[in-house]
Amino acid sequence: MLQRFYPDAYVDSAYGIDFEKLYQEGYRGIIFDIDNTLVPHGAPADDRSRELFARLKGLGYGIMLLSNNKEPRVKMFNDAVGAQYIFKAGKPATGNYRKAMERLGVDKDHALFVGDQLFTDVWGAKKAGIRTFLVKPIHPKEEIQIVLKRYLEKIVLFFYLRDQKRGEKQCRQ
């Protein structure tokens, strides 16, 4: 039952993902959450995020920001990185994940999603059929509703990590 929330990969940071390898595997569109995925909650784009987006565009990726935030927040970040965006996305509903893929000109087999929350970001992307990367939150300061969800996420991540270890043991046998 909890497997529906499991990410395809759980990584330390969006900045450590091997996007070059993923491009070679055929992925062409990346959909990102913003807050606590790319920068701390509410922070503007920084040098690291601007450099990442420039590198991804140079590789040939289409990039979309998909955020539940209001437009001023998303537009402020986007103005600095130059991607496309959808605000008030209603994650985990799948409609705007599909709209993002459509606007990027990719299907679910050529799209990636990168976010920091299991119950909105990852679950919505999984329901839309997109390969998911869960990243560890950049900063501990978060809105109260997110803090509460993090307790439930810890339970899911406990079982996810346990299942990952079991799978590795089975592969070695």
Side-chain angles (χ1 to χ4, degrees), residues 22-43:
L22 292 164
Y23 192 86
Q24 290 172 354
E25 292 175 9
Y27 293 96
R28 296 296 182 265
I30 307 173
I31 305 166
F32 283 99
D33 177 53
I34 301 170
D35 287 326
N36 253 345
T37 297
L38 295 165
V39 294
H41 187 81

Side-chain angles (χ1 to χ4, degrees), residues 98-111:
R98 290 190 182 101
K99 183 177 178 181
M101 287 187 287
E102 183 180 311
R103 286 177 49 190
L104 290 171
V106 298
D107 61 19
K108 61 183 176 62
D109 297 323
H110 299 95

Side-chain angles (χ1 to χ4, degrees), residues 108-128:
K108 61 183 176 62
D109 297 323
H110 299 95
L112 303 167
F113 183 86
V114 181
D116 71 297
Q117 292 187 55
L118 282 176
F119 301 126
T120 51
D121 297 333
V122 170
W123 190 31
K126 284 183 66 89
K127 290 190 302 179

Side-chain angles (χ1 to χ4, degrees), residues 127-140:
K127 290 190 302 179
I130 303 168
R131 184 173 175 184
T132 59
F133 287 81
L134 176 68
V135 301
K136 294 177 182 174
I138 289 177
H139 194 274

Side-chain angles (χ1 to χ4, degrees), residues 1-172:
M1 180 172 146
L2 293 178
Q3 290 86 349
R4 79 177 82 184
F5 301 111
Y6 287 6
D8 294 305
Y10 182 37
V11 298
D12 287 336
S13 169
Y15 299 99
I17 298 171
D18 189 347
F19 291 109
E20 289 79 5
K21 180 180 178 204
L22 292 164
Y23 192 86
Q24 290 172 354
E25 292 175 9
Y27 293 96
R28 296 296 182 265
I30 307 173
I31 305 166
F32 283 99
D33 177 53
I34 301 170
D35 287 326
N36 253 345
T37 297
L38 295 165
V39 294
H41 187 81
D46 56 14
D47 289 341
R48 188 166 69 154
S49 57
R50 285 190 293 274
E51 289 167 10
L52 174 64
F53 277 56
R55 187 176 110 230
L56 295 174
K57 289 182 214 171
L59 288 170
Y61 279 109
I63 307 167
M64 177 72 64
L65 300 171
L66 187 67
S67 176
N68 284 347
N69 275 303
K70 295 177 182 171
E71 188 171 23
R73 163 65 182 133
V74 180
K75 184 178 183 323
M76 173 190 69
F77 187 90
N78 188 66
D79 286 348
V81 298
Q84 299 182 61
Y85 67 89
I86 297 172
F87 63 95
K88 291 181 79 174
K91 297 181 284 183
T94 59
N96 280 319
Y97 289 91
R98 290 190 182 101
K99 183 177 178 181
M101 287 187 287
E102 183 180 311
R103 286 177 49 190
L104 290 171
V106 298
D107 61 19
K108 61 183 176 62
D109 297 323
H110 299 95
L112 303 167
F113 183 86
V114 181
D116 71 297
Q117 292 187 55
L118 282 176
F119 301 126
T120 51
D121 297 333
V122 170
W123 190 31
K126 284 183 66 89
K127 290 190 302 179
I130 303 168
R131 184 173 175 184
T132 59
F133 287 81
L134 176 68
V135 301
K136 294 177 182 174
I138 289 177
H139 194 274
K141 181 181 178 238
E142 297 183 294
E143 296 174 332
I144 187 65
Q145 71 271 17
I146 296 170
V147 171
L148 298 174
K149 284 191 281 185
R150 293 288 186 206
Y151 289 107
L152 296 173
E153 284 185 357
K154 285 180 183 178
I155 295 167
V156 175
L157 286 172
F158 169 82
F159 288 104
Y160 167 78
L161 293 170
R162 184 199 68 184
D163 291 351
Q164 291 295 107
K165 285 181 184 173
R166 285 182 179 171
E168 289 171 11
K169 285 180 184 175
Q170 288 175 354
C171 287
R172 282 186 251 142

